Amino acid sequence: MEHQNPSEVTFHHEPGGKEVVQKIIKTTVILSVITLIELALGFGIYFLHKTPDPSAALILFMKGVIVILSLLKAFYIVGVFMHLGDEIRNLIMTIVVPLLLFIWFIAAFLWDGDSWKMLRNTEGLSKPATEQSKPHLPATQGH
Amino acid sequence: MSTASVAQVETKWWTGGKSPFNVEYGKLMMWYFLMSDAFTFGAFLISYGTIRFSQNYWPDPNEVFNAFPFAGHANLPLAFVSLMTFILIVSSVTMVLAVHAGHHNDRKGVIKWMIWTIVGGAAFLGCQAWEWTHLITGDHAVLLNGKLEHIGTTVSRNPWGAAMPGMMHDGHPVSTTGPVAFGGYFFGITGFHGFHVFSGVIINIIMLIMTMNGTFDRRGHYLMIEKAGLYWHFVDLVWVFVFLCFYLI
């Protein structure tokens, strides 16, 4: 680490030129290819919907693959383009660990939306308001 | 304090004398701002997911977003939004190259790549303006209170409902109105993202002017370009998830 100026302590400078540009080009190609695969899967879902009896499990699987590919894209953008991968481990952890909250955040709220739909479709919202105040046992059995 | 402990203090990580994260204050705070902004966008997208999961019917994005400028009524699902995605990825790449040129104090390189980044951001905003206009003004015939009406997609009306049995006189299926939340979430979240792109373009223009004036050469470093770059990449990162949630799945 150079200490040219005491007010700016130890900012590192990226070494060399060529290999960095090569890494950028490689990451660009990876991001483009992932996007093309996502689009291909998107079109796959579109044409599956057009068939008379589309398999819900297959569509869900394809959507899952698209989600994983998007997370991979996020990893490359943050790790390479934003250079988070080059930072000190402690710094990376102060960014990444709070983001783990998203695991609960996504699971809890999508679950809540699903339960809302169940109530909408069963006794919860379809009965008159006077009957809603009764404790409804079947709803507690479900997930 | 003996003199021996002074030498020890210098080697410890958190006792001063060195930057523990080896990063400039402004850049660290930009990271924490972006982390909080990720939670803002995350909360919006998750609330969209909650509402979508609670509905029995949700419009198919391939039916809604199937237009392309100057292509008339051709059915081109995913085409325009793919173009927007690639514009943003390319502008992210030019931003990395600007940051890279900044590391080498290459003023001409920074200017060149910043201009391309700004062009990419402006192109993206233009695409978004076209898409919004198309969605708001594009009329579709739907059955509304027992009458056939032509409405566009706004935050209060949604023509993308389920198809009814039977056909209209011109052979098109008759449909009902769809969930109102569709327009609200689409315009709300893409609008909030578009606002980020817009402010990113403004920040990039300011960085370009400062580079042209030689401000960073006088400072001896191009760290401001890095911080603007972090913000710009974050905008691209958010688009990955907006693209995922609104168009792909």
Side-chain angles (χ1 to χ4, degrees):
Chain A
M1 295 299 155
E2 294 168 80
H3 284 259
Q4 310 144 318
N5 185 343
S7 66
E8 292 140 20
V9 195
T10 47
F11 315 128
H12 55 186
H13 283 260
E14 229 175 293
K18 273 223 174 109
E19 67 266 36
V20 178
V21 175
Q22 266 168 4
K23 199 180 178 191
I24 293 169
I25 292 169
K26 196 180 138 205
T27 310
T28 311
V29 171
I30 291 171
L31 286 176
S32 306
V33 169
I34 294 175
T35 308
L36 288 174
I37 296 171
E38 283 183 339
L39 286 171
L41 286 168
F43 278 113
I45 292 171
Y46 174 70
F47 289 116
L48 268 177
H49 273 303
K50 297 278 174 209
T51 57
D53 190 21
S55 155
L58 181 63
I59 288 176
L60 194 66
F61 172 74
M62 287 166 86
K63 287 184 175 180
V65 172
I66 294 175
V67 170
I68 291 165
L69 288 174
S70 289
L71 290 173
L72 197 63
K73 266 162 81 174
F75 174 80
Y76 276 108
I77 291 172
V78 176
V80 179
F81 283 2
M82 295 168 93
H83 298 291
L84 188 62
D86 302 333
E87 303 291 358
I88 284 173
R89 202 184 122 88
N90 280 346
L91 168 53
I92 298 175
M93 288 303 139
T94 62
I95 308 285
V96 172
V97 171
L99 292 179
L100 294 179
L101 187 62
F102 270 121
I103 296 170
W104 163 82
F105 201 176
I106 293 168
F109 277 78
L110 294 187
W111 202 332
D112 195 46
D114 195 50
S115 134
W116 193 355
K117 180 159 89 178
M118 276 233 314
L119 289 174
R120 202 195 291 279
N121 292 340
T122 56
E123 84 281 7
L125 296 171
S126 57
K127 281 193 177 177
T130 48
E131 291 199 66
Q132 271 188 29
S133 53
K134 281 187 197 171
H136 38 262
L137 289 171
T140 56
Q141 286 170 358
H143 58 273
Chain B
M1 282 275 186
S2 64
T3 46
S5 71
V6 174
Q8 207 182 14
V9 160
E10 276 180 42
T11 58
K12 274 187 183 167
W13 204 253
W14 290 100
T15 41
K18 69 199 282 181
S19 165
F21 284 165
N22 192 26
V23 72
E24 186 213 7
Y25 174 80
K27 197 171 158 187
L28 186 66
M29 291 304 124
M30 178 56 95
W31 269 111
Y32 292 146
F33 163 69
L34 294 180
M35 187 181 69
S36 71
D37 218 18
F39 275 108
T40 310
F41 271 109
F44 283 157
L45 286 171
I46 290 166
S47 117
Y48 159 76
T50 308
I51 296 299
R52 192 170 159 175
F53 266 56
S54 78
Q55 303 283 324
N56 285 309
Y57 172 84
W58 196 258
D60 181 355
N62 290 315
E63 307 289 332
V64 181
F65 308 105
N66 67 347
F68 201 88
F70 311 114
H73 288 283
N75 180 32
L76 299 165
L78 284 170
F80 191 53
V81 75
S82 316
L83 175 70
M84 288 167 76
T85 302
F86 278 108
I87 287 173
L88 217 51
I89 287 179
V90 169
S91 86
S92 211
V93 173
T94 56
M95 188 77 225
V96 184
L97 293 168
V99 171
H100 179 64
H103 282 142
H104 296 275
N105 292 325
D106 169 14
R107 192 169 111 181
K108 273 196 182 142
V110 173
I111 290 172
K112 179 175 82 174
W113 294 118
M114 284 308 282
I115 288 173
W116 282 115
T117 308
I118 292 163
V119 168
F124 181 86
L125 285 173
C127 289
Q128 201 167 40
W130 185 88
E131 191 174 43
W132 275 39
T133 311
H134 180 80
L135 210 54
I136 295 168
T137 60
D139 288 350
H140 294 273
V142 290
L143 211 54
L144 196 65
N145 301 325
K147 275 193 292 186
L148 207 57
E149 288 199 38
H150 291 261
I151 59 170
T153 312
T154 64
V155 290
S156 58
R157 298 213 283 186
N158 176 5
W160 307 100
M164 301 272 284
M167 294 281 176
M168 271 164 30
H169 55 84
D170 59 356
H172 277 88
V174 181
S175 58
T176 54
T177 52
V180 167
F182 179 82
Y185 277 112
F186 177 78
F187 290 117
I189 294 176
T190 61
F192 194 57
H193 175 263
F195 171 67
H196 275 73
V197 177
F198 177 74
S199 46
V201 169
I202 299 293
I203 290 167
N204 285 347
I205 289 172
I206 294 169
M207 291 303 122
L208 177 66
I209 293 168
M210 284 171 87
T211 311
M212 285 170 145
N213 286 342
T215 311
F216 303 132
D217 286 330
R218 280 194 295 280
R219 264 183 217 175
H221 58 74
Y222 279 73
L223 285 169
M224 282 302 282
I225 299 286
E226 276 189 52
K227 283 176 263 181
L230 284 181
Y231 184 77
W232 190 252
H233 294 311
F234 177 76
V235 166
D236 184 29
L237 180 69
V238 169
W239 181 253
V240 167
F241 290 100
V242 173
F243 177 56
L244 172 73
C245 295
F246 279 102
Y247 300 95
L248 283 174
I249 63 176

